[in-house]
């Protein structure tokens, strides 16, 4: 990341991993009752705090905030833990796919397709739906320190406009 700074980048948003063990693809292969794959979730829970630590070290070394971390794992886990609170009907089944949880293969013309993609957290076996992505972007812009470190994008833009 220091290479980016040396090349002239002054603000870099770095996203953490998503909920690796909770995507429909992993549910299709490892889940019996819709539970997330524990080992992959552990990997994500270890990586994201280390990302924040690295961001802090880089910013300290540079002497100002150039790198910002987005905790996309927590953003997605909020949807997965309580999809109805965000207007979704399911966080287990992909809108487009095949097999259990629509988690097998890619989204193709022969896939199962949901009637309303806005009700699904996941578009395909791996990726959030457009609506989920819009909610994630909203957190990147205005989210608290639980989601953005050391600050959200609106705060960064406000600081930059004063400079």
């Amino acid at each position: 990341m220091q290479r980016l700074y040396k090349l002239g980048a002054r603000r870099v948003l770095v996203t953490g991993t998503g909920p690796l063990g909770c995507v429909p693809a992993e549910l299709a292969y490892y889940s019996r009752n819709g539970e997330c794959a524990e080992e992959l979730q552990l990997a994500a829970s270890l990586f994201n705090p280390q990302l924040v630590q690295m961001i802090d070290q880089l910013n300290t070394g540079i002497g100002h905030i150039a790198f910002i971390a987005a905790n996309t794992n927590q953003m997605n886990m909020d949807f997965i833990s309580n999809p109805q609170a965000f207007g979704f009907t399911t966080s287990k089944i992909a809108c487009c796919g095949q097999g259990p949880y629509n988690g097998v293969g890619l989204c193709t013309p022969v896939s199962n397709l949901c009637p309303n993609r806005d009700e699904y957290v996941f578009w395909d076996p791996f990726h959030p739906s457009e609506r989920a992505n819009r909610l994630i972007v909203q957190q990147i812009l205005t989210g608290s320190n639980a989601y953005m470190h050391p600050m959200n994008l609106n705060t960064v833009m406000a600081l930059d406009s004063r400079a």
Side-chain angles (χ1 to χ4, degrees), residues 75 78-80 82-88 118 131 135 139 147:
M75 294 173 196
D78 289 350
F79 305 150
I80 290 165
N82 191 359
Q84 289 76 23
F86 298 91
F88 297 111
D118 286 342
R131 186 163 171 275
L135 293 170
Q139 289 293 0
Y147 302 109

Side-chain angles (χ1 to χ4, degrees), residues 134-152:
R134 287 180 188 277
L135 293 170
I136 290 167
V137 168
Q138 191 60 45
Q139 289 293 0
I140 289 171
L141 288 170
T142 63
S144 70
N145 283 24
Y147 302 109
M148 299 300 298
H149 183 82
M151 64 186 76
N152 63 44

Side-chain angles (χ1 to χ4, degrees), residues 77-133:
M77 284 309 297
D78 289 350
F79 305 150
I80 290 165
S81 301
N82 191 359
Q84 289 76 23
F86 298 91
F88 297 111
T89 58
T90 182
S91 62
K92 305 285 183 197
I93 301 167
C95 178
C96 187
Q98 302 99 40
Y101 306 100
N102 274 348
V104 178
L106 300 174
C107 183
T108 68
V110 296
S111 295
N112 300 315
L113 187 60
C114 68
N116 183 354
R117 64 183 177 212
D118 286 342
E119 294 179 358
Y120 289 71
V121 171
F122 289 96
W123 163 248
D124 66 13
F126 299 98
H127 302 100
S129 64
E130 181 179 350
R131 186 163 171 275
N133 276 321

